[in-house]
Amino acid sequence: MSSLPSPAIAAAGLVGGYAVARWTKKRPLGGVVLAGAGGVAAYEWRRVAGGKAAAGLGVAYVVAFAGSHPLARKIGAWPAVFSVAGAVAGASWAVTRAKG
């Protein structure tokens, strides 16, 4: 079975979660998208790179979500979301590229 592209899944979870929350005006619905994509990405991270890598990338995913909020006050909401999504995707790629 080939690997799902975990960097894209993680980035899509951050961007999609924000988009859903913003456009529906229902933050919990955005949280469902964020958590669902994070769960799929974490499953792939664990499968490809192991539990320690998955835990580290999971922490990075949550920190990116939390960090996008203060960053948004400085650079704007969408630029902040795209910045943290890119950072998580880059970290995911770097950790999983050699193993998958």
Side-chain angles (χ1 to χ4, degrees), residues 21-58:
R22 180 172 178 144
W23 290 326
T24 65
K25 305 213 185 310
K26 295 182 186 332
R27 292 179 72 173
L29 192 55
V32 168
V33 172
L34 179 78
V40 172
Y43 173 81
E44 284 300 308
W45 293 329
R46 185 177 165 280
R47 191 176 73 72
V48 172
K52 287 182 183 178
L57 289 168

Side-chain angles (χ1 to χ4, degrees), residues 10-100:
L14 289 160
V15 173
Y18 175 68
V20 167
R22 180 172 178 144
W23 290 326
T24 65
K25 305 213 185 310
K26 295 182 186 332
R27 292 179 72 173
L29 192 55
V32 168
V33 172
L34 179 78
V40 172
Y43 173 81
E44 284 300 308
W45 293 329
R46 185 177 165 280
R47 191 176 73 72
V48 172
K52 287 182 183 178
L57 289 168
V59 168
Y61 187 77
V62 172
V63 168
F65 166 70
S68 69
H69 293 81
L71 184 59
R73 285 187 224 114
K74 296 183 185 298
I75 65 173
W78 281 111
V81 170
F82 286 126
S83 295
V84 300
V88 169
S92 178
W93 177 81
V95 170
T96 61
R97 72 185 165 100
K99 306 201 178 179

